[in-house]
């Protein structure tokens, strides 16, 4: 499916090459040319023009290479669409006196760059990130090819946020009306808007609040300095652009790569890209891959390292992700069966009793696993986002949603640090997750943060910390715990023993935490399990499950 989406994106932009080039020609002929050059140069690192190597990613018809090469810079420009590169080549010959003398054009995927590490002083991009399938991976690649002290400049906007937010939709429609009243060209209606919206629904960033999302991703990559400017559009847009895109203002994300060349701990010095291991320094290693890192099969690990020494380093999340990674395939099979079982209707009955009725809700499924709740809710017509820290779980959720023809959006994300703006969702829902979290209090605070006022947090869990999962007496022969094996069950017990929530009295603990986190009305139901698990079958859960319903005040 990913390859099909990529080809659809490429095909669409191939049809836009001519029109996009005309937009660039207007920019070159007007004051925007100098405005853009000034904005770029003031962000560049202090280095002589002739020594600076610049990479323009998603160059389109070549606007940035044209203005930069004319100003004396050497630029490498990449795009995945052949038609765009042909237009860029044509425009460089037509609108610059140097042509391709200072510019190298290459066809390349922005998410899988073919350049060596630390090649460029500057990486720039405009209006690209929003339509990438794997924007986190793209950011990793862009930072990888930057030299130490190099600068990433990304200009983008929340272009299709109106597909997921009613207020943004109203603002978008107001833009269309104002443009029509002033008899200007409507930049949206000049394109195949239905086709573009279909693509926008399939890529993750349309649903994210940016540039907050970008900042968190870059922070997770260990970037030295991150700055955002949400008013950069005022300096580079024409009046017509300002009216067309008033509800989607362009922002700038500037990220500077650390100039640090080596790390030192005691007598040990490790240079960038090197690995050190010694018996006397147990646990000392570099680089480190974090939970949620997306690694292409057969390719290199893209990660930023750290030197750590116990007890300073907390690896509990990595243990948890590793555990659920090993259980992901059996989990997929169980959820596939569960969706076809009468138990699915029982779950929906319990959920519907707690959430607002009669309207389409924006719902966040936290710790979605293989997507059971996400799929059920999407089939009821709700707009659902599922997040999980285990990449394999997300891959399986996407697969299962396709099988069920359910329209959901899934993304690898930490349940304790969801990358959404305040008051984004009507409902936050979770099942059997809280007991696995190292910092459940922080997680509850974040879930309440992303809820709208009056929104509902619905958490289904059990006091698993006090249950011995290795004790399988009384379980039916077909139960999943028999398929997992004793070694995995014992691993689960080891992880539980490290989590503070395992020693709490639940759900009393949860209620106390929620009372401190903007929760108004809180409802507890400790008899949930008796209504869900009517048969001792493969889905049977012997632990007494409870539900917590908290309304944000």
């Amino acid at each position: 499916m990913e390859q099909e989406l990529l080809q659809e994106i490429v095909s669409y932009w191939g049809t836009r090459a001519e029109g996009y080039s005309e937009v660039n020609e207007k920019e070159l002929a007007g004051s925007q040319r100098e405005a853009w050059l000034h904005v770029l140069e003031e962000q560049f690192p202090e280095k002589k023009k002739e020594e600076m190597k610049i990479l323009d990613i998603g160059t389109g018809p070549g606007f940035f290479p044209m203005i930069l090469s004319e100003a004396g810079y050497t630029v490498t420009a990449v795009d995945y669409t052949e038609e765009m590169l042909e237009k860029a080549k044509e425009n460089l010959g037509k609108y610059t006196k140097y042509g391709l003398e200072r510019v190298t054009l290459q066809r390349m995927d922005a998410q899988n760059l073919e350049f060596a590490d630390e090649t460029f002083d500057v990486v720039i991009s405009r209006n690209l990130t929003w339509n990438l399938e794997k924007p986190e991976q793209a950011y990793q690649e862009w930072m990888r090819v930057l030299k130490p002290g190099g600068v990433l400049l990304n200009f983008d906007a929340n272009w299709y946020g109106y597909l997921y937010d009613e207020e943004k939709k109203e603002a978008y429609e107001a833009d269309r009306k104002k443009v029509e009243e002033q008899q200007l060209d409507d930049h949206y209606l000049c394109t195949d808007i239905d086709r573009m919206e279909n693509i926008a629904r399939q890529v993750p960033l349309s649903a994210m609040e940016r540039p907050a999302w970008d900042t968190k991703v870059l922070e997770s990559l260990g970037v030295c300095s991150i700055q955002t400017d949400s008013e950069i559009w005022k300096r580079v847009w024409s009046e017509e652009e300002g009216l067309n895109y008033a509800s989607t203002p362009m922002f700038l994300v500037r990220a500077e790569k650390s100039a640090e060349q080596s790390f030192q701990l005691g007598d040990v010095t490790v240079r960038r890209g090197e690995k050190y291991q010694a018996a006397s320094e147990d646990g000392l290693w570099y680089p480190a891959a974090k939970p949620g890192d997306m690694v292409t099969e057969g390719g290199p690990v893209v990660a930023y390292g750290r030197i750590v020494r116990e007890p300073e380093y907390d690896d509990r999340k990595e243990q948890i992700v590793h555990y659920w990674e090993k259980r992901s395939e059996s989990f997929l099979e169980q959820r596939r069966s569960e969706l076809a079982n009468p138990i699915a209707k029982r779950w929906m009955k319990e959920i519907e009793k707690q959430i607002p009725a009669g309207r389409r809700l924006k719902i966040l499924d936290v710790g979605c696993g293989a997507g059971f709740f996400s799929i059920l809710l999407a089939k009821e017509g709700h707009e659902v986002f599922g997040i999980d820290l285990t990449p394999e779980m997300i891959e399986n959720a996407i697969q299962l949603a396709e099988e069920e023809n359910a329209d959901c959006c899934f993304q690898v994300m930490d349940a304790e640090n969801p990358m959404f703006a305040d008051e984004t969702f009507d409902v936050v829902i979770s099942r059997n997750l809280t007991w696995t979290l190292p910092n459940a209090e922080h997680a509850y605070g974040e879930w309440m943060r992303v809820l709208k006022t009056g929104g509902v947090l619905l958490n289904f869990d059990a006091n698993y910390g006090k249950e011995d999962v290795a004790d399988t007496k009384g379980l039916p022969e077909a139960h999943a715990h028999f398929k997992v094996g004793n070694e995995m069950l014992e691993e689960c017990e080891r992880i539980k023993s490290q989590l503070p929530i395992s020693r709490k009295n639940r759900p009393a603990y949860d209620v106390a935490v929620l009372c401190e986190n903007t929760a108004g009305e809180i409802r507890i139901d400790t008899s949930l399990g008796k209504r869900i698990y009517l048969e001792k079958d493969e889905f049977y859960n012997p632990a007494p499950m409870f539900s917590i319903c908290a309304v944000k005040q």
Side-chain angles (χ1 to χ4, degrees):
M1 180 179 178
E2 287 181 1
Q3 194 61 30
E4 291 177 5
L5 177 57
L6 178 60
Q7 292 308 315
E8 169 62 7
I9 293 170
V10 171
S11 173
Y12 172 79
W13 287 110
T15 66
R16 290 285 310 276
E18 188 67 41
Y20 210 149
S21 181
E22 291 175 2
V23 172
N24 283 176
E25 289 171 22
K26 285 184 179 180
E27 291 178 308
L28 288 169
S31 60
Q32 290 169 278
R33 177 187 188 127
E34 291 303 316
W36 269 110
L37 181 60
H38 183 67
V39 163
L40 291 174
E41 287 190 317
E42 71 179 11
Q43 303 290 344
F44 285 173
E46 294 183 7
K47 197 167 187 177
K48 294 179 180 179
K49 288 182 180 181
E50 57 272 20
E51 296 176 356
M52 194 176 300
K53 294 183 69 174
I54 300 174
L55 173 63
D56 178 26
I57 304 178
T59 190
F63 177 73
F64 281 162
M66 282 188 279
I67 64 174
L68 289 169
S69 63
E70 285 286 282
Y73 296 95
T74 300
V75 183
T76 299
V78 302
D79 204 288
Y80 203 62
T81 305
E82 291 282 7
E83 292 86 348
M84 288 291 188
L85 291 171
E86 286 298 319
K87 262 300 171 191
K89 182 179 180 180
E90 177 186 326
N91 289 339
L92 283 161
K94 184 176 180 181
Y95 296 107
T96 72
K97 57 185 175 184
Y98 297 103
L100 292 174
E101 184 179 332
R102 295 176 176 174
V103 178
T104 301
L105 296 173
Q106 290 183 254
R107 184 172 186 264
M108 199 174 296
D109 182 359
Q111 302 160 126
N112 295 285
L113 299 177
E114 299 168 19
F115 303 108
D117 296 354
E118 302 180 1
T119 298
F120 299 97
D121 300 284
V122 177
V123 172
I124 55 177
S125 184
R126 177 167 66 146
N127 299 340
L128 169 70
T129 338
W130 71 270
N131 74 168
L132 295 178
E133 305 155 272
K134 299 177 180 178
E136 286 188 54
Q137 181 174 312
Y139 267 134
Q140 287 179 329
E141 282 288 272
W142 301 357
M143 297 308 298
R144 177 183 66 79
V145 301
L146 266 181
K147 296 177 183 179
V151 172
L152 165 66
L153 302 175
N154 187 17
F155 302 90
D156 208 356
N158 290 292
W159 295 114
Y160 289 88
Y162 67 81
L163 295 174
Y164 295 93
D165 187 291
E166 196 60 36
E167 290 183 8
K168 290 179 181 178
K169 184 177 180 181
E170 291 175 1
Y172 164 79
E173 290 173 347
D175 288 348
R176 310 280 65 75
K177 186 176 180 180
K178 186 172 291 186
V179 167
E180 182 181 7
E181 289 172 351
Q182 300 203 21
Q183 298 182 330
L184 298 172
D185 288 335
D186 192 317
H187 293 194
Y188 280 87
L189 300 183
C190 294
T191 66
D192 187 345
I193 187 65
D194 291 337
R195 190 177 180 189
M196 193 64 256
E197 286 184 350
N198 183 51
I199 291 172
R201 288 187 180 94
Q202 299 179 68
V203 292
L205 289 191
S206 300
M208 299 300 164
E209 197 62 40
R210 305 178 61 202
W213 180 91
D214 305 70
T215 299
K216 286 192 175 183
V217 169
L218 288 165
E219 285 175 348
S220 74
L221 296 177
V223 175
C224 173
S225 172
I226 306 167
Q227 298 171 319
T228 61
D229 185 347
S230 296
E231 297 193 340
I232 195 71
W233 61 275
K234 294 180 179 179
R235 300 178 57 188
V236 292
W237 274 1
S238 66
E239 183 179 356
E240 184 175 290
E241 285 175 313
L243 289 168
N244 262 276
Y245 308 125
S247 62
T248 52
M250 186 177 65
F251 56 78
L252 163 65
V253 177
R254 183 187 191 276
E256 185 174 333
K257 187 171 182 176
S258 174
E260 185 88 22
Q261 292 296 317
S262 64
F263 292 89
Q264 187 165 357
L265 183 63
D267 297 329
V268 178
T269 299
V270 185
R271 288 183 292 277
R272 186 184 299 275
E274 290 185 342
K275 177 179 178 180
Y276 178 88
Q277 184 174 359
S280 61
E281 295 288 350
D282 184 33
L284 174 63
W285 55 290
Y286 176 83
K290 302 180 297 302
D293 282 347
M294 299 299 288
V295 182
T296 303
E297 185 176 351
V301 176
V302 180
Y304 286 80
R306 58 193 165 205
I307 292 183
V308 296
R309 180 186 283 166
E310 298 291 357
E312 298 170 357
Y313 178 47
D314 183 354
D315 69 346
R316 289 176 297 177
K317 281 190 182 178
E318 294 182 24
Q319 291 183 51
I320 293 164
V321 169
H322 184 58
Y323 172 80
W324 289 108
E325 173 189 337
K326 290 185 287 186
R327 288 197 59 183
S328 60
E329 286 307 309
S330 63
F331 214 68
L332 170 62
E333 293 304 319
Q334 189 179 30
R335 294 297 167 260
R336 183 181 282 127
S337 300
E338 195 175 22
L339 284 167
N341 190 279
I343 200 171
K345 290 185 178 179
R346 294 176 210 152
W347 272 115
M348 273 309 305
K349 184 178 179 181
E350 294 297 330
I351 294 170
E352 288 174 340
K353 288 193 300 186
Q354 308 282 12
I355 65 177
R359 61 188 177 95
R360 187 170 187 252
L361 302 170
K362 191 169 185 177
I363 301 176
L364 175 63
D365 181 9
V366 187
C368 64
F372 178 73
F373 273 178
S374 297
I375 292 167
L376 287 180
L377 290 161
K379 284 187 169 184
E380 293 297 315
H382 300 297
E383 180 185 347
V384 188
F385 299 81
I387 64 173
D388 202 288
L389 192 54
T390 305
E392 289 77 9
M393 287 290 190
I394 290 297
E395 291 173 9
N396 289 340
I398 292 170
Q399 177 184 333
L400 193 54
E402 289 178 357
E403 293 174 9
E404 295 289 327
N405 293 317
D407 186 10
C408 316
C409 180
F410 294 106
Q411 189 167 8
V412 176
M413 197 179 296
D414 185 356
E416 293 183 354
N417 297 285
M419 296 178 185
F420 298 101
D422 297 355
E423 303 197 353
T424 298
F425 297 97
D426 300 294
V427 176
V428 173
I429 192 168
S430 184
R431 174 167 72 142
N432 294 341
L433 169 72
T434 335
W435 70 276
T436 70
L437 298 178
N439 193 344
E441 291 184 32
H442 180 74
Y444 269 131
E446 283 292 283
W447 301 351
M448 296 304 291
R449 177 185 65 79
V450 301
L451 266 181
K452 297 176 182 177
T453 301
V456 173
L457 167 62
L458 191 53
N459 188 14
F460 301 100
D461 207 0
N463 211 351
Y464 294 113
K466 295 185 178 181
E467 299 283 328
D468 183 0
V469 295
D471 182 5
T472 56
K473 295 192 297 291
L475 293 179
E477 292 183 4
H479 199 272
H481 281 192
F482 288 112
K483 300 175 184 178
V484 170
N486 289 335
E487 187 177 336
M488 287 288 290
L489 296 177
E490 289 169 3
E491 182 179 347
C492 180
E493 285 299 312
R494 288 195 299 272
I495 293 172
K496 282 186 351 184
S497 68
Q498 302 176 60
L499 303 176
I501 198 169
S502 296
R503 297 180 288 279
K504 303 296 183 181
N505 184 20
R506 305 185 65 199
Y509 159 80
D510 305 71
V511 172
V513 172
L514 286 166
C515 285
E516 297 176 359
N517 281 288
T518 68
E521 180 185 0
I522 301 175
R523 298 188 293 271
I524 305 296
D525 185 344
T526 57
S527 60
L528 170 76
K530 295 177 182 179
R531 297 193 300 275
I532 295 290
Y533 303 107
L534 302 183
E535 305 89 12
K536 282 196 173 184
D537 55 13
E538 60 180 307
F539 311 112
Y540 179 67
N541 184 356
M545 283 199 78
F546 56 78
S547 71
I548 302 173
C549 181
V551 180
K552 183 173 179 178
Q553 62 183 1

